Amino acid sequence: MDCKNLLQKQNINLKKAELNEIDKILEVYSERMQWFREKEIKQWGKYLEHHPKSEFEEVICKGDYFILERDNKIVAGFELSTDSKYWDDNETPAYYIYKLVTRVGNKEIGNIVFDICKDLAKANNKEYLRLDCLSTN
């Protein structure tokens, strides 16, 4: 099933984020950080300290931050960029996925995000899709 049909079937809307949505976006990160703490998963303990609001504002203004909504509520967010922040490779036709987050309790949303990114990569002649994560993950 292609992404457009999958999104329709799941009643999910994909769109580029707008600056007036930033607090709602950061709320999803805070919720996920709390979930990690409750599950005693040592990850994202200081995520929003390392990625401040200003960083999100910059990415949103560039048009590189996307959100998925269901019933007018953000269920996922991610940055999709051609900028290679951590790979020493500015010539590879690739998209890089940064800041991926899903709202707690929304199973399978991560898979949908990856399907969307794959479709966007293919549509824009990208040969690679790379996920930014800690090397220990």
Side-chain angles (χ1 to χ4, degrees):
M1 178 181 300
D2 67 55
C3 278
K4 187 175 180 179
N5 289 333
L6 179 60
L7 291 172
Q8 262 183 338
K9 184 179 178 185
Q10 296 276 334
N11 193 31
I12 296 172
N13 181 43
L14 167 69
K15 68 176 204 164
K16 288 188 178 190
E18 298 175 15
L19 277 178
N20 64 354
E21 298 169 306
I22 196 160
D23 290 332
K24 291 178 184 177
I25 291 166
L26 295 177
E27 189 178 291
V28 178
Y29 286 88
S30 294
E31 181 182 296
R32 180 55 72 182
M33 290 168 59
Q34 179 63 33
W35 183 87
F36 279 132
R37 280 191 294 276
E38 289 170 4
K39 301 290 182 192
E40 297 182 6
I41 299 170
K42 296 185 186 317
Q43 190 167 318
W44 282 28
K46 297 182 179 185
Y47 190 86
L48 292 176
E49 290 177 37
H50 296 288
H51 302 283
K53 186 175 186 175
S54 60
E55 185 178 308
F56 283 87
E57 290 169 340
E58 182 181 324
V59 173
I60 290 169
C61 286
K62 285 175 54 180
D64 289 344
Y65 195 87
F66 296 82
I67 58 175
L68 276 67
E69 294 178 316
R70 180 186 288 138
D71 301 323
N72 295 317
K73 191 172 187 178
I74 298 171
V75 294
F78 62 96
E79 176 186 351
L80 187 64
S81 174
T82 56
D83 294 336
S84 175
K85 295 177 186 173
Y86 304 107
W87 287 274
D88 187 20
D89 177 13
N90 292 320
E91 309 231 351
T92 301
Y95 271 140
Y96 302 89
I97 304 170
Y98 301 105
K99 298 179 182 67
L100 173 60
V101 67
T102 60
R103 184 174 293 276
V104 174
N106 287 268
K107 295 184 185 263
E108 301 299 318
I109 294 294
N111 289 333
I112 293 171
V113 169
F114 287 121
D115 286 343
I116 289 166
C117 292
K118 285 190 279 187
D119 281 1
L120 289 170
K122 286 178 187 175
N124 291 292
N125 299 314
K126 303 299 178 196
E127 293 180 29
Y128 302 96
L129 190 58
R130 295 183 173 149
L131 174 65
D132 171 49
C133 65
L134 294 174
S135 60
T136 55
N137 287 355

